[in-house]
Amino acid sequence: MSILGFFLEVIILNNEKIFLLYANNFDVNKKEIKRKINHSLRVSKLCKSIALDLNLADDLIYLAEFIGLVHDIGRFVQWEKYQTFDDLKSEDHALLGLQVLFKNKEINRFKIDHKWDKTIYSALKNHNQYKISDETKDIDLLMSKILRDADKTDILYMIKINDIVLEDNESITSDVKNEFLSKESIDHTKVKSFSDKVLLKLAFVFDINYKWTLKYIEKENIIDEIYNNLIYKNKIKYYYNYVKK
């Protein structure tokens, strides 16, 4: 690691402390709040791993790690206000996060160069969208892709360890089935049943950008474990095999 890399590692640890201080403004005894804190810390490390595999410069590795840390900062306000993490029943948590960071100026508490504000804004805005905006270019596009990979991977990991529990006891709607078999990520507004939601999560692999991410998902047996956790496996077996292929 270069001297700059070591220096930036120290700063990211500082930023983690600042992030935790922010999260402590909410009820950290709630399992939902704890889950989002742990998710954010893991996504930050996954962003770093992807950036390292891409041989990015030290400052860009640090930027990716920071973006992963704050990508869900809007979730805390969302839970406090609505008692749900369902954007369709509350507000878009990415937009809430942008409000927290830029309108409420929480970003000024962190050690991050403001020259990256546009890239941070773009990555957060894109991270939970069906597709990355066509207007996203260059470094903004790179960081958006890294974040989306890391975020999806950790959501799948949380399902694997039953931190998020999927039910699968209903029929699969035709729109969701067709999108899945087209090897497309699934528009969450089309999800109508519990089994649709299982396909929504499995379809994350169709929207992965980097080989490192796919190798990580395979190495950790994430898809296999998700399938093994399901009760009604026969309903999902065909789609599980489709993803594995």
Side-chain angles (χ1 to χ4, degrees), residues 62-74:
Y62 167 71
L63 176 62
E65 198 169 359
F66 175 78
I67 287 172
L69 180 67
V70 300
H71 82 284
D72 260 357
I73 201 165

Side-chain angles (χ1 to χ4, degrees), residues 165-213:
V165 178
L166 292 180
E167 298 181 55
D168 58 315
N169 59 344
E170 295 179 328
S171 60
I172 297 165
T173 58
S174 58
D175 282 349
V176 168
K177 177 182 177 180
N178 291 337
E179 282 197 355
F180 186 95
L181 296 178
S182 298
K183 297 181 182 176
E184 296 280 343
S185 55
I186 294 170
D187 184 348
H188 71 286
T189 62
K190 295 181 179 179
V191 171
K192 306 299 181 186
S193 72
F194 288 124
S195 294
D196 282 352
K197 194 170 184 179
V198 176
L199 264 62
L200 170 74
K201 302 305 185 186
L202 291 178
F204 278 2
V205 299
F206 301 138
D207 194 38
I208 294 299
N209 298 285
Y210 300 110
K211 289 181 180 178
W212 183 92
T213 317

Side-chain angles (χ1 to χ4, degrees), residues 116-175:
W116 298 120
D117 281 2
K118 175 177 173 290
T119 299
I120 295 166
Y121 191 100
S122 176
L124 264 64
K125 187 175 182 181
N126 276 310
H127 91 268
N128 66 330
Q129 298 303 302
Y130 178 51
K131 300 286 186 184
I132 296 175
S133 167
D134 290 337
E135 298 174 357
T136 311
K137 307 293 182 184
D138 304 322
I139 187 65
D140 297 355
L141 180 60
L142 173 66
M143 290 296 153
S144 294
K145 286 181 174 180
I146 290 173
L147 176 57
R148 284 168 69 92
D149 269 28
D151 189 33
K152 285 181 171 66
T153 298
D154 195 65
I155 291 171
L156 291 173
Y157 168 77
M158 287 193 288
I159 298 169
K160 169 188 169 178
I161 64 172
N162 278 322
D163 203 12
I164 297 174
V165 178
L166 292 180
E167 298 181 55
D168 58 315
N169 59 344
E170 295 179 328
S171 60
I172 297 165
T173 58
S174 58
D175 282 349

Side-chain angles (χ1 to χ4, degrees), residues 40-52:
S40 298
L41 294 173
R42 288 193 303 265
V43 168
S44 179
K45 298 310 176 190
L46 287 168
C47 284
K48 177 184 177 181
S49 294
I50 297 168
L52 281 168

